[in-house]
Amino acid sequence: MKQLNFVIDNVTGLHARPAKVFVKIAKQFKSDIRVLHGSKKVNAKSLIAVLGLGVKHGGAIQVELDGVDEELAAEALQTAVSAGLGEGDHAPEPAAVRSAPSKPAAPAPVAVEALPKNGLRGVAAAPGLAIGPIFQLRQTAVTLSQEFAGVAVEQDRLETALAHGQEQLFALRQKVEAHAPDEAAIFDVHRELLADDDLLETVQQKIESQQNAGQAWQATIEEKAAQMAALDDPLLAARAADIRDVGNRILKLLAGDEAAGEVQWPDHPVVVIAHDLTPSDTATLDPQKVLGFATAVGGPTAHSAIIARALNLPAVVSVGEGLLEIADGTAVILNGSNGIIQVNPDDAAQKEAQSQLAAAKQQQQAAREQADAPAITLDNHRVEIAANIGGVADAQKANQSGAEGVGLLRTEFLFLDRATPPSEDEQFEVYRQIAEAMAGKPVIIRTLDIGGDKPLPYVKVPPEDNPFLGERGLRLCLARPELMREQLRAILRAASYGSLRIMFPMVADMSEWVAAKSMVDEIRAELNAPVVPVGIMIEIPAAALMTDLFAKEVDFFSIGTNDLTQYTLAMDRMHPTLASKSDGLHPAVLRLIDATVRGAHASGKWVGVCGALGADPQAAPILMGLGVDELSVSVPSIAMVKAQIRTLSQAEAQKLAAKALACATAREVRELVRV
Ligand code: PEP
Ligand code: MG
């Protein structure tokens, strides 16, 4: 028996993502592992149980391990906890299960607008306007039988329902994946909840004490969800909604009235209102019938809100129970950007909203129609538009959405949430599929960019006070050449299936480049692989200032504005209060971008931008004016970025960029560009 004591440093405590990482690691060992917090002691292999501890930032936990592999388990948990369990020390709870490169951002906070006559105010959850009649989605109660058919029969019924539930969730995942590959991961969490040891043990005990499967399941789900909701924490309340959602799915299957719960939809498009919407409800809303939705409760970080954003469905949440008093058929204007719902708007308001909506739709439609065409300015300057992707599904979407290549493949997705690194063959297979999905278009594969802020149980990094300034990115990989060699071998083996390029992250120093590049050359010679262009990311100010020297060696540059901004302004990009001030349009960041472009172009090398700034409509003209050759953006942004570039002139953009470089603050820069 072994005991460990930890203090949880994650800013939001042991919430969904860190808890999931913790449980996932615990599950990889045979030993019995328990977590103690306050007066509670729970199974470390149950996500619900660990979440239910409600461990906050700074909370102390004790872990007891008992079994053959207790030493190994203790070491793995120790490493993961000290590395932040999937987050930086100051990372806020991410809205989705995994950091989502292509996730549309939550609407930016807007100034509080006056409430119009007959207006209701909620919290803006997904931007856009929806104009139409109300339709209230009512939860139909499931009728449970009271009959008890014996322990074995009830167990059997439960197992069948769980298996069926798993299949439904798998299908739902596939469906959502088509629109929102990253958001679809929520249904994996639901599948994991269905296999939760603790939950199943509680249900089992109830069945043994003569409750039928439906009663036992319903009571257990309610207990667990209520425990979570009672922790008085908005993030855990959102997880309680996930438990109820998945619980209800099984309940319907057990009650055999799945079909009875089907909604009779009107035959015209509607604005849906509901007390709350589960992620499954949201994901199955038919975009042909639903213009937008509002809920009485819920928050903008709930998975339903995230899915709404990914599906481009305007949404307002937390309007209050008054919302449900609006009769079906009542006309409303729902504004998902400012959180206001106007009930029975007069003719003038309706007309105004209709014309805004029509203009926005027309713009998006026109952009989509032209998505495959190049982005050429009015004065004939071409900017390449590529995609930032996180996996094979994203690559397929990118290729269909007008991407002229992949400007950044974040390979971390292959390495996170597992006990051992992916094998060379496994990596090769993924890189090959991505190269093929992009059908010969260039694909920039960034080598592993992990470090103190993203723990890998199989890469031991001693605890660091400042993980963002610690062993991460290229420096970490150079210190573990076996990891880097396997990845480079996989990339170079896949190189003949498409047009692959290799890019190193977090380069600070020429010696790092020399070491990494010679590794590529060595492996390429070993494999007799084709020559591939090799470039670096500019995301550390030191590298930006040395671009002229790097440009003599590297084939290309891509500016990671997310990190470049955080390191230039010394503001943690994930900081709960500073992140919104950490603006990539700060003139200091722009001066570094300017230095990079000048240094690169002097040696005839091209420069891309793959940080989030590339998709910011206010930044695009400035970046273009500074001479950036390529913008790599999330897949949903490709068409609109291309459309915007076509409205600009390079000569004007250059004048604008010169003015921006002379500004004193990011705010002044933003005032120069009204979009
Ligand atoms: C960046 O830092 O801008 C970047 C694109 O890399 P990541 O966001 O993955 O750190
Ligand atoms: Mg970066």
Side-chain angles (χ1 to χ4, degrees):
M1 162 92 139
K2 238 188 121 48
Q3 271 189 355
L4 296 171
N5 289 299
F6 297 122
V7 171
I8 298 299
D9 273 340
N10 301 63
V11 160
T12 52
L14 256 188
H15 280 143
R17 176 165 157 179
K20 187 171 157 260
V21 172
F22 187 92
V23 170
K24 201 147 191 168
I25 293 171
K27 273 185 163 172
Q28 281 150 10
F29 298 94
K30 290 197 184 76
S31 299
D32 181 53
I33 309 177
R34 306 270 145 186
V35 189
L36 288 79
H37 177 64
S39 57
K40 296 183 198 158
K41 179 171 177 173
V42 302
N43 180 358
K45 297 178 185 175
S46 158
L47 180 59
I48 295 182
V50 172
L51 281 173
L53 289 173
V55 182
K56 300 237 184 306
H57 169 70
I61 60 168
Q62 192 175 69
V63 180
E64 287 178 1
L65 308 100
D66 194 4
V68 283
D69 50 7
E70 60 187 37
E71 287 292 339
L72 281 175
E75 205 182 317
L77 287 172
Q78 177 100 54
T79 311
V81 171
S82 55
L85 291 168
E87 303 183 315
D89 280 354
H90 305 288
E93 173 74 353
V97 179
R98 166 177 293 178
S99 76
S102 62
K103 186 190 319 135
V110 286
V112 178
E113 277 179 43
L115 207 54
K117 196 169 128 243
N118 292 341
L120 290 173
R121 193 191 301 278
V123 175
L129 279 178
I131 309 161
I134 285 287
F135 175 70
Q136 184 167 348
L137 206 55
R138 292 178 172 83
Q139 292 296 344
T140 44
V142 179
T143 326
L144 287 176
S145 122
Q146 303 296 313
E147 202 181 308
F148 180 70
V151 172
V153 175
E154 296 299 340
Q155 273 172 343
D156 231 41
R157 291 184 55 219
L158 179 67
E159 267 165 37
T160 311
L162 288 173
H164 194 167
Q166 288 281 5
E167 281 164 25
Q168 286 183 348
L169 287 166
F170 186 73
L172 207 49
R173 189 199 200 292
Q174 306 285 92
K175 180 183 167 198
V176 175
E177 200 165 24
H179 305 282
D182 297 304
E183 311 315 337
I186 178 59
F187 297 109
D188 289 337
V189 173
H190 281 203
R191 294 178 74 200
E192 206 165 302
L193 289 173
L194 283 190
D196 189 278
D197 286 355
D198 219 40
L199 180 100
L200 297 179
E201 217 174 283
T202 317
V203 181
Q204 178 64 23
Q205 281 162 4
K206 290 194 196 308
I207 292 178
E208 276 162 18
S209 64
Q210 314 285 300
Q211 290 189 24
N212 71 30
Q215 292 165 324
W217 180 261
Q218 188 178 39
T220 309
I221 288 290
E222 218 12 78
E223 247 166 56
K224 305 284 178 197
Q227 271 167 14
M228 200 85 71
L231 291 167
D232 192 23
D233 176 320
L235 290 166
L236 287 181
R239 298 298 88 76
D242 286 323
I243 296 178
R244 289 203 173 98
D245 186 7
V246 80
N248 217 30
R249 172 177 305 283
I250 299 303
L251 213 54
K252 280 184 187 168
L253 288 167
L254 282 169
D257 64 359
E258 204 185 339
E262 289 230 325
V263 178
Q264 299 303 314
W265 287 93
D267 57 4
H268 51 80
V270 290
V271 175
V272 167
I273 57 169
H275 172 72
D276 199 2
L277 285 180
T278 64
S280 326
D281 291 336
T282 315
T284 42
L285 289 176
D286 178 352
Q288 304 300 321
K289 291 200 179 120
V290 178
L291 303 161
F293 71 80
T295 58
V297 298
T301 60
H303 283 124
S304 49
I306 297 164
I307 292 174
R309 292 199 283 276
L311 298 181
N312 253 335
L313 213 53
V316 177
V317 296
S318 201
V319 183
E321 297 298 328
L323 174 74
L324 305 180
E325 284 162 22
I326 310 175
D328 278 358
T330 309
V332 293
I333 302 171
L334 175 149
N335 187 332
S337 307
N338 64 10
I340 291 176
I341 300 167
Q342 206 176 335
V343 185
N344 280 323
D346 60 23
D347 279 356
Q350 287 224 32
K351 264 204 185 120
E352 157 95 32
Q354 291 287 9
S355 70
Q356 276 178 22
L357 188 64
K361 272 199 179 143
Q362 212 173 16
Q363 253 182 356
Q364 278 167 6
Q365 182 55 27
R368 268 199 299 272
E369 280 165 14
Q370 293 295 310
D372 283 330
I376 300 175
T377 62
L378 298 170
D379 51 354
N380 221 15
H381 172 77
R382 181 168 179 178
V383 183
E384 219 166 276
I385 307 300
N388 289 350
I389 65 164
V392 180
D394 280 351
Q396 283 152 351
K397 272 204 98 132
N399 194 40
Q400 292 154 10
S401 309
E404 295 169 272
V406 167
L408 170 65
L409 166 64
R410 289 180 165 99
T411 56
E412 297 80 76
F413 78 101
L414 265 164
F415 290 78
L416 293 168
D417 287 346
R418 49 191 297 161
T420 53
S423 68
E424 181 188 313
D425 282 349
E426 199 179 325
Q427 291 188 59
F428 160 74
E429 197 44 44
V430 171
Y431 303 147
R432 181 184 68 76
Q433 283 179 34
I434 289 174
E436 288 180 347
M438 291 308 292
K441 295 176 187 169
V443 175
I444 298 181
I445 304 188
R446 176 174 77 180
T447 57
L448 188 57
D449 183 14
I450 46 129
D453 64 317
K454 299 173 199 154
L456 295 182
Y458 46 90
V459 178
K460 307 245 175 337
V461 178
E464 296 175 313
D465 284 343
N466 291 303
F468 277 116
L469 302 180
E471 264 206 89
R472 58 169 299 201
L474 183 61
R475 41 180 102 125
L476 183 133
C477 286
L478 287 173
R480 285 155 184 79
E482 63 300 341
L483 205 62
M484 176 100 163
R485 282 187 68 84
E486 286 217 328
Q487 184 170 36
L488 290 175
R489 282 182 64 87
I491 299 173
L492 286 163
R493 277 173 58 198
S496 47
Y497 292 86
S499 169
L500 299 188
R501 297 170 180 182
I502 296 173
M503 176 163 76
F504 302 123
M506 297 291 299
V507 177
D509 191 276
M510 183 64 83
S511 63
E512 293 168 340
W513 156 259
V514 171
K517 175 65 168 42
S518 59
M519 223 187 255
V520 173
D521 292 340
E522 209 178 283
I523 294 169
R524 202 182 64 72
E526 269 166 38
L527 295 173
N528 200 15
V531 175
V532 299
V534 186
I536 62 169
M537 285 191 75
I538 295 290
E539 46 188 349
I540 298 181
L545 294 169
M546 303 290 281
T547 309
D548 54 340
L549 294 187
F550 277 113
K552 299 194 170 27
E553 310 272 332
V554 312
D555 294 317
F556 64 89
F557 297 92
S558 185
I559 306 177
T561 50
N562 308 334
D563 275 316
L564 186 63
T565 306
Q566 89 163 340
Y567 293 125
T568 305
L569 303 182
M571 284 183 188
D572 185 340
R573 64 192 259 191
M574 308 285 263
H575 194 285
T577 53
L578 292 176
S580 59
K581 298 194 180 104
S582 181
D583 190 338
L585 281 186
H586 190 292
V589 180
L590 296 180
R591 287 177 187 212
L592 288 170
I593 296 175
D594 182 48
T596 303
V597 176
R598 285 175 193 279
H601 285 181
S603 295
K605 305 292 163 65
W606 67 267
V607 181
V609 163
C610 62
L613 197 66
D616 179 338
Q618 283 184 298
I622 297 177
L623 295 173
M624 207 179 80
L626 289 173
V628 166
D629 305 288
E630 178 231 44
L631 297 176
S632 189
V633 300
S634 68
V635 175
S637 305
I638 294 169
M640 284 303 277
V641 172
K642 281 187 165 182
Q644 187 191 1
I645 301 242
R646 295 186 196 113
T647 65
L648 303 171
S649 115
Q650 171 69 345
E652 288 304 315
Q654 281 168 343
K655 287 186 206 151
L656 180 70
K659 282 191 199 153
L661 289 174
C663 283
T665 62
R667 195 193 185 117
E668 277 181 29
V669 175
R670 290 201 177 271
E671 275 164 12
L672 289 177
V673 200
R674 301 206 189 282
V675 178

